[in-house]
């Protein structure tokens, strides 16, 4: 029996190393550890051993079982990571040298991604709102729990106009108006507020491969009774899997925004370099894509909604960065270049 157990262990080690497909793993698991598997059959023979041999063989059989289970798990993880790498490498990188086909017009990649997101959220009952690019200080900051002289204003270097208005630095600037528009239906008729609002944002930023001074975001809010972080995570996951049509590595970490509590940063593993680090992700392997959180009670109050009764989530998706990742654009500045040679290459694959 000892030799048999040793043979099973050796065979498992050799066979598992050669597997390239998760189905092979499952078949192997059944053949060895399943009800009628090789190891299980040996265990069934334990009864015929002497009282001295039984515990020794029992321990050895158990060690072989644990060894094989661990090896199967390791291999499954290795195959999963390989599959992910394959998928990431299958994102066709946008090639700036390809000659343009200017025989007909085409949509801008940000428009394509925005429309996809709109379709996804509309199918989940969200309305699509439009909002102006010039807003008041109240809309962009004060209504969002960022009073005058609050240090959080320094997080965004804002362009102010001579009349005191400003170029919106974040689509969150539309939140207050949306709450006011839909609060009566929420309070009187129990209709949840579910809205997205895509729009252009402006910040006085030094540009690089992943920062522009003019870029698009898409805000999303949902307010109702008993909305929780699980609802937020569900909608974020659905949006990403629908946009990319495959599993994307994401990470959620704490983030500070005065208008949400708790707040999160949602990053995705850079699809340009497969997470290894490149200029498109500032060499970190991750790209900040969609900060989000539970709407701060002060923000709901400013919108005329009682935070004791209602809760909600909000997110601010970086649409321009999403277009980069979706279409394999290494440098965000190409998207604002106005170069038809570059921009005519994108097509709607819906
Ligand atoms: C905000 O603008 C918040 N309003 C987002 C938010 C909304 C948080 C609702 C919580 C609840 P932030 O400054 O991090 O956060 O920008 C959000 C996203 O916009 C970033 O993750 C990024 O994808 C994109 N973004 C920000 N700055 C730039 C830039 N200069 N160029 C390109 N994309 C940018």
């Amino acid at each position: 029996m000892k030799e048999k157990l040793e043979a099973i262990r050796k065979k498992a080690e050799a066979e598992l190393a050669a597997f390239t497909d998760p189905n092979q793993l499952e078949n192997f698991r059944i053949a060895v550890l399943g009800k009628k598997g090789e190891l299980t059959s040996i265990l069934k023979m334990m009864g015929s051993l002497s009282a001295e041999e039984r515990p020794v063989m029992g321990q050895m059989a158990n060690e072989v079982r644990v060894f094989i289970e661990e090896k199967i798990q390791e291999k499954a993880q290795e195959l999963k990571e390989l599959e992910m790498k394959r998928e990431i490498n299958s994102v066709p990188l946008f090639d700036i040298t390809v000659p343009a086909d200017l025989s007909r017009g085409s949509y801008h990649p940000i428009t394509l991604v925005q429309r996809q997101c709109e379709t996804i959220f509309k199918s989940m009952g969200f309305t699509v709102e439009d909002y102006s690019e010039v807003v008041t200080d109240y809309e962009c900051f004060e209504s969002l729990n960022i009073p005058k002289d609050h240090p959080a204003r320094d997080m965004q270097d804002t362009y102010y106009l001579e009349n005191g208005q400003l170029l919106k630095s974040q689509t969150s600037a539309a939140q207050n108006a949306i709450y006011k528009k839909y609060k009566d239906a929420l309070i009187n008729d129990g209709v949840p507020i579910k809205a997205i609002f895509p729009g252009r944002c402006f910040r006085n930023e030094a540009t690089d491969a992943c920062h522009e001074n003019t870029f698009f975001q898409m805000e999303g809010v949902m307010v109702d009774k008993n909305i929780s972080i699980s609802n937020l995570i569900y909608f974020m996951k659905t949006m990403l899997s629908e946009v990319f049509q495959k599993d994307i590595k994401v990470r959620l970490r704490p983030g500070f925004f005065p208008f949400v509590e708790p707040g999160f940063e949602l990053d995705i593993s850079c699809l340009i370099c497969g997470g290894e680090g490149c200029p498109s992700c500032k060499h970190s392997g991750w790209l900040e894509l969609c900060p989000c959180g539970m709407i701060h009670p002060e923000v709901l109050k400013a919108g005329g909604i009682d935070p004791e009764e209602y809760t909600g989530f909000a997110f601010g998706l970086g649409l321009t960065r999403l277009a980069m990742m979706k279409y394999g654009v290494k440098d965000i500045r190409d998207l604002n270049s106005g170069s038809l040679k570059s921009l005519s290459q994108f097509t709607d694959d819906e």
Side-chain angles (χ1 to χ4, degrees):
M1 185 173 286
K2 193 174 167 202
E3 288 73 38
K4 273 189 185 163
L5 286 171
E6 195 44 46
I8 291 180
R9 206 182 86 95
K10 280 209 174 117
K11 188 175 120 191
E13 206 167 9
E15 285 194 16
L16 283 168
F19 286 161
T20 52
D21 180 341
N23 290 331
Q24 288 176 303
L25 267 187
E26 182 54 12
N27 292 340
F28 179 84
R29 194 190 60 75
I30 295 169
V32 180
L33 304 176
K35 268 189 193 156
K36 293 182 186 157
E38 268 179 85
L39 189 65
T40 319
S41 321
I42 293 186
L43 287 174
K44 282 181 189 158
M45 286 154 51
M46 288 284 168
S48 61
L49 295 177
S50 69
E52 297 84 58
E53 274 181 319
R54 213 175 298 143
V56 180
M57 283 303 125
Q59 187 185 349
M60 187 173 175
N62 203 34
E63 278 167 10
V64 171
R65 185 182 55 79
V66 171
F67 173 82
I68 294 176
E69 278 172 356
E70 280 174 3
K71 285 279 166 211
I72 289 179
Q73 259 183 16
E74 270 171 32
K75 190 71 190 182
Q77 184 62 25
E78 183 190 317
L79 291 180
K80 201 170 156 197
E81 277 167 20
L82 264 178
E83 178 57 25
M84 218 152 184
K85 274 228 158 89
R86 252 200 300 273
E87 288 224 353
I88 287 166
N89 292 335
S90 73
V91 174
L93 281 191
F94 151 68
D95 182 356
I96 201 163
T97 62
V98 169
D101 171 10
L102 301 180
S103 57
R104 64 194 178 101
S106 60
Y107 286 113
H108 192 283
I110 298 175
T111 307
L112 294 176
V113 146
Q114 178 180 326
R115 288 188 174 186
Q116 266 174 20
C117 289
E118 288 178 4
T119 307
I120 294 164
F121 278 99
K122 275 200 259 181
S123 76
M124 297 191 287
F126 284 69
T127 58
V128 182
E129 309 291 327
D130 197 11
Y131 212 67
S132 58
E133 291 179 351
V134 176
V135 296
T136 61
D137 185 274
Y138 178 79
E139 291 167 301
C140 203
F141 297 118
E142 285 198 47
S143 67
L144 292 167
N145 198 28
I146 313 177
K148 289 220 159 54
D149 303 323
H150 192 287
R153 289 195 179 208
D154 297 342
M155 288 159 78
Q156 298 165 7
D157 201 348
T158 310
Y159 291 110
Y160 286 90
L161 308 181
E162 280 173 3
N163 67 3
Q165 290 187 308
L166 48 101
L167 297 183
K168 83 173 178 311
S169 56
Q170 50 181 351
T171 43
S172 304
Q175 280 194 28
N176 188 257
I178 301 296
Y179 301 142
K180 287 177 175 158
K181 180 173 171 188
Y182 291 113
K183 75 176 164 49
D184 290 342
L186 172 73
I187 296 164
N188 301 329
D189 307 320
V191 182
I193 300 178
K194 289 168 91 178
I196 53 165
F197 24 110
R200 201 191 317 249
C201 301
F202 308 85
R203 292 183 196 175
N204 182 20
E205 295 216 19
T207 60
D208 59 28
C210 58
H211 287 89
E212 256 293 5
N213 50 29
T214 306
F215 58 95
F216 283 79
Q217 287 184 345
M218 194 183 81
E219 195 84 358
V221 293
M222 177 168 184
V223 183
D224 199 0
K225 291 187 173 164
N226 301 320
I227 297 293
S228 70
I229 296 176
S230 337
N231 299 105
L232 167 65
I233 290 173
Y234 168 79
F235 283 104
M236 297 294 90
K237 270 189 166 169
T238 308
M239 184 256 303
L240 289 175
S241 62
E242 290 285 319
V243 168
F244 288 103
Q245 296 288 321
K246 62 182 178 189
D247 274 348
I248 294 290
K249 219 163 142 188
V250 296
R251 72 175 182 191
L252 202 62
R253 54 195 173 92
F256 171 69
F257 302 91
F259 35 93
V260 285
E261 181 57 40
F264 306 101
E265 288 283 0
L266 189 151
D267 308 330
I268 67 168
S269 176
C270 179
L271 298 179
I272 304 287
C273 61
E276 276 165 20
C278 67
S280 312
C281 57
K282 282 203 284 184
H283 302 280
S284 72
W286 294 94
L287 204 70
E288 285 178 9
L289 185 70
C290 187
C292 50
M294 300 305 291
I295 304 167
H296 196 285
E298 289 301 325
V299 174
L300 288 175
K301 254 193 241 168
I305 296 168
D306 180 359
E308 296 288 327
E309 208 170 333
Y310 299 96
T311 50
F313 66 75
F315 62 86
L317 171 67
L319 262 188
T320 308
R321 288 200 187 156
L322 188 62
M324 280 176 80
M325 291 296 112
K326 166 101 186 172
Y327 292 107
V329 178
K330 285 186 189 164
D331 194 317
I332 198 169
R333 290 165 291 197
D334 283 331
L335 294 169
N336 277 3
S337 67
S339 154
L340 288 180
K341 185 166 173 287
S342 306
L343 299 174
S344 62
Q345 291 179 31
F346 300 95
T347 48
D348 193 351
D349 50 10
E350 292 297 286

